[in-house]
Amino acid sequence: MIRDLLLGLRLAVGGGRISGQALLRLAMTTLGVALVVAVLLPAASINTLVSEQDAREAAQVPQVEPRPGVDPLYRLDWFIDGGDDYLQAVVVAPDGPNAPVPPGLDRIPAPGEVVVSPAAADYLATPAGEPARARIGGTVVGEVGKAGLGLASDRVVYVGDTAERLKGEDYTTPVYGFGAEPDGLALDITTAAFVAPVAVVLLLPLLIFVTTASRMGAAQRERRLAALRLLGVSGRQVRRIAAAESLVGAVAGLVLGGALFLALRPLIGHLDLFGMRFFPEDFVPSWPLVVVIALLVPGLAVGAAIFGLRRTIVEPLGVVRQGKPARRRMWWRWSVAALGGLLMAGTLLADERSNATPVGLALAAGSSLLLIGVAALLPWAVEKLVAGLRGGTPAWQLAVRRLQLESGTASRVVSGLVIVLAGAILIQTLVGAVSATESEGSRWQAATPVAAQVVGDDEQVDEAASLLAGTDGITAVHEVVAAPLRAAGDGSGWHGQVLIGDCAALASRAELGTCADGDVFSVGALRESSGLAMPEPGARVRFYSYGGDGEQTDGPQWTLPAEVRQVPADQAAREVSSTLLVTPGALGGVTPSDAERVLYVTGTGAPARVFEAASLAVGPLSWEVDVRPALAVSDSSRLDETTRTMRGMLLVASIFVLAVAALSLLMLSIEQIVERRRPLAALSAAGVPLSVLTRGSLWQNAIPVAIGVVLAVVAGIGITLPTLRYAGLSLSLDAGLIGIVCGAAVLAVLAATALTLPLLRQVTRLDGLRAE
């Protein structure tokens, strides 16, 4: 057996006239296996990646129970909204020498000192981070270590302060230690439903490429094996030699794929996926999965080579192939597609957005099985459709007759293109549906839109208003008071919010028309999520507040005016939907409890620039006031950026996998021309023009691709609809992206045909009729 294997290894890179084709087959097999391994190893690292992140986040959980001998560390979490980006600032102050040190820090920063994470340092160094830098102040004295971060992209800043200043703040927490038990891995339904079909789209064309490359040069290999049979090698030895010949490329690809993974892993730290960056060292595949990959992927290449000999009898005097086409076993093909269809159909019984784990698993498994089923059914569909084709031009008849004799190999290769198309439609439609979904409320803005909102206590709001008043680019600062309100009674009725301000302030929130002091406006349908309607005009309502334990405390009562003017929801800002807008004169001297003062800032120029100016102006107040961008503006820019990123990644991934599928198609075309070189030469000698043979080759590739494109579009939309229905999203197809991917499939056929033209011209010479 060892001698047979060594002989197979020698033939893989053997000399003589076939060395060029042998080396090409070896190179293609190596490349295909390497790409598969390079994709599978990061996937096998996900468990370690999530576990490491989960452990770090659990170690950062504050412990608020007092401990003997431990001084409290006063901590205040402060989230700085930069418009397009967030920054988490943690203000800390020890109340003694034995206070715990947060994970990732060497020591607790003193007042005026700042410790930043690498991502936060990069952000603060940009012009967009200048307002946040002004608000944080202090001197950077260190860097937050990996132990204090969940992801490499976490923007975390620790700001030192005094214990006396933090003790009096409502949101300050005394911390006596850090650490908790990790939550463990949890199934994210959305991620599972999204990642499963992506994995199929990426891997299946690569696997098809591996099998195509491993069977490249089959005719030459079979003649070589026939020569070995003439020397006395048995049929069983022939299969071992063929397996060893393919094993060289498989093992070389395994090594190259591992090297690619190790070489590209450091670059993962610079890869930004929707604002998330990971630590490269966390990508460590688990050893059981590494062993599985090391055995299965090379086994696929070896199995494909042996499987190719199943209908071939290698004898000492030649190679005999079974002439009668084998009947396809359809039961497993239909079983895969039917099981996927049943799983997807079963999700129709679940309520929309029920967040049930079984539904997520059904969507993930169903979409994956349907994609695989489509690829498995394509050879059958091509066979059935071409069986009834008759007539046409000579080129068409040559292509159809060839497909009628043997369409399985071409269809299997084209199935890689079908998987890419169907998967691209599925993923793109999900991305388009999410990006097209609007949050509740409208996008209405005043003629001079609000760019920033400043919230804080009375003293700090007064100081912020003073700082904003003298800032260039800011034209107006409107103040409103926000307070919770409910129907009078036992508290089981309607609950809502009231905004109190003058007409100019309220006009920045909604289209009021005429307004005078004493008016009251209701925006949209004033109903709570429970569906309870607001009390009628003239009814008694009550202000209330929340205590430290979350219990409601009754405040003063107020009688609604007899006239409350309605404002449509689409003529008001989204955040004031189902809100009462009240001018001070309508309160009749009633002072709300638990009121929050809010400043709405407007100015000249782009809202983003006005927001930056407002953030810089209130910088001296640091964490004592909260500065937020206008909701509609910030959400729109973030959504647009995320959508562009997802569409760009989808297009790049689709083009890459299409290129792999096109390369498989090219190798198949070359192999078929080499195998049929004598019939092609005979046709040329009989007077068939080269242009007819070229068009015949084109049609031979184009027919399966055309059938596959139609099947992919239908299957892609069919797979997508149950997912959209469950998510409560509407169908939104990006015809441009689908057209690009379909056009790329057509270009792949044209490119494969064009690249085989020199070889076709060579084999159709009269020399091709000579034989030894």
Side-chain angles (χ1 to χ4, degrees), residues 550-616:
E551 294 292 330
Q552 292 185 13
T553 302
D554 288 343
Q557 288 192 355
W558 173 51
T559 302
L560 286 174
E563 182 181 356
V564 177
R565 295 167 55 185
Q566 296 290 326
V567 177
D570 59 357
Q571 296 180 16
R574 182 194 315 165
E575 60 268 31
V576 299
S577 180
S578 299
T579 300
L580 276 176
L581 306 181
V582 180
T583 55
L587 293 176
V590 175
T591 302
S593 56
D594 197 23
E596 181 182 58
R597 297 175 65 188
V598 182
L599 301 179
Y600 292 115
V601 182
T602 62
T604 58
R609 297 291 175 263
V610 179
F611 171 76
E612 291 180 6
S615 298
L616 289 171

Side-chain angles (χ1 to χ4, degrees), residues 279-540:
F279 290 104
E281 58 270 21
D282 286 346
F283 281 84
V284 179
S286 60
W287 280 109
L289 292 178
V290 171
V291 173
V292 171
I293 293 172
L295 293 177
L296 287 184
V297 177
L300 176 66
V302 175
I306 297 178
F307 188 72
L309 298 175
R310 73 192 186 283
R311 295 171 54 197
T312 303
I313 301 174
V314 180
E315 295 294 342
L317 297 180
V319 178
V320 179
R321 293 184 178 86
Q322 296 180 9
K324 183 179 180 180
R327 182 180 178 85
R328 298 190 186 279
R329 296 181 177 89
M330 298 305 302
W331 65 268
W332 69 269
R333 303 172 190 266
W334 285 110
S335 298
V336 172
L339 180 58
L342 287 175
L343 289 173
M344 298 293 286
T347 62
L348 300 177
L349 302 177
D351 295 332
E352 290 185 4
R353 303 183 182 182
S354 58
N355 199 30
T357 299
V359 179
L361 290 174
L363 288 174
S367 58
S368 302
L369 289 175
L370 276 174
L371 286 174
I372 297 173
V374 168
L377 288 173
L378 179 62
W380 171 82
V382 173
E383 180 182 285
K384 292 299 181 182
L385 289 174
V386 301
L389 296 179
R390 297 290 185 272
T393 63
W396 175 266
Q397 293 184 47
L398 286 173
V400 169
R401 184 56 181 159
R402 180 60 186 172
L403 289 175
Q404 289 173 343
L405 292 175
E406 176 56 48
S407 63
T409 304
S411 300
R412 281 192 293 271
V413 174
V414 172
S415 62
L417 293 172
V418 174
I419 288 291
V420 178
L421 294 176
I425 292 172
L426 169 64
I427 301 168
Q428 176 277 323
T429 305
L430 292 177
V431 172
V434 172
S435 63
T437 301
E438 298 286 345
S439 300
E440 293 184 3
S442 68
R443 292 281 183 178
W444 179 90
Q445 293 185 26
T448 303
V450 172
Q453 305 175 27
V454 181
V455 183
D457 296 333
D458 289 345
E459 182 179 348
Q460 283 75 28
V461 168
D462 290 336
E463 188 174 352
S466 176
L467 293 171
L468 291 168
T471 302
D472 293 338
I474 294 179
T475 56
V477 179
H478 304 290
E479 180 180 341
V480 300
V481 175
L485 186 71
R486 63 174 172 81
D490 57 3
S492 61
W494 175 86
H495 289 67
Q497 187 186 46
V498 59
L499 291 184
I500 306 168
D502 58 27
C503 289
L506 299 181
S508 68
R509 300 288 78 201
E511 190 70 43
L512 304 180
T514 60
C515 176
D517 192 20
D519 290 342
V520 176
F521 306 86
S522 66
V523 179
L526 287 174
R527 293 179 180 269
E528 196 188 17
S529 58
S530 61
L532 297 174
M534 180 187 169
E536 297 294 330
R540 301 285 289 178

Side-chain angles (χ1 to χ4, degrees), residues 65-123:
E65 295 293 331
R67 298 180 181 180
V70 178
D71 298 319
L73 173 71
Y74 291 105
R75 170 188 175 124
L76 185 145
D77 290 314
W78 171 30
F79 291 92
I80 303 175
D81 194 336
D84 292 334
D85 299 288
Y86 291 99
L87 190 70
Q88 179 186 0
V90 183
V91 186
V92 293
D95 199 27
N98 296 324
V101 179
L105 302 186
D106 297 330
R107 61 179 178 85
I108 301 173
E113 293 182 340
V114 179
V115 182
V116 300
S117 68
D122 295 339
Y123 172 68

Side-chain angles (χ1 to χ4, degrees), residues 658-682:
L658 273 174
V660 173
L663 187 57
S664 300
L665 187 62
L666 175 62
M667 290 191 298
L668 173 66
S669 301
I670 293 174
E671 181 67 14
Q672 290 180 339
I673 290 176
V674 172
E675 287 185 358
R676 298 165 53 212
R677 61 186 183 277
R678 290 182 60 82
L680 291 173

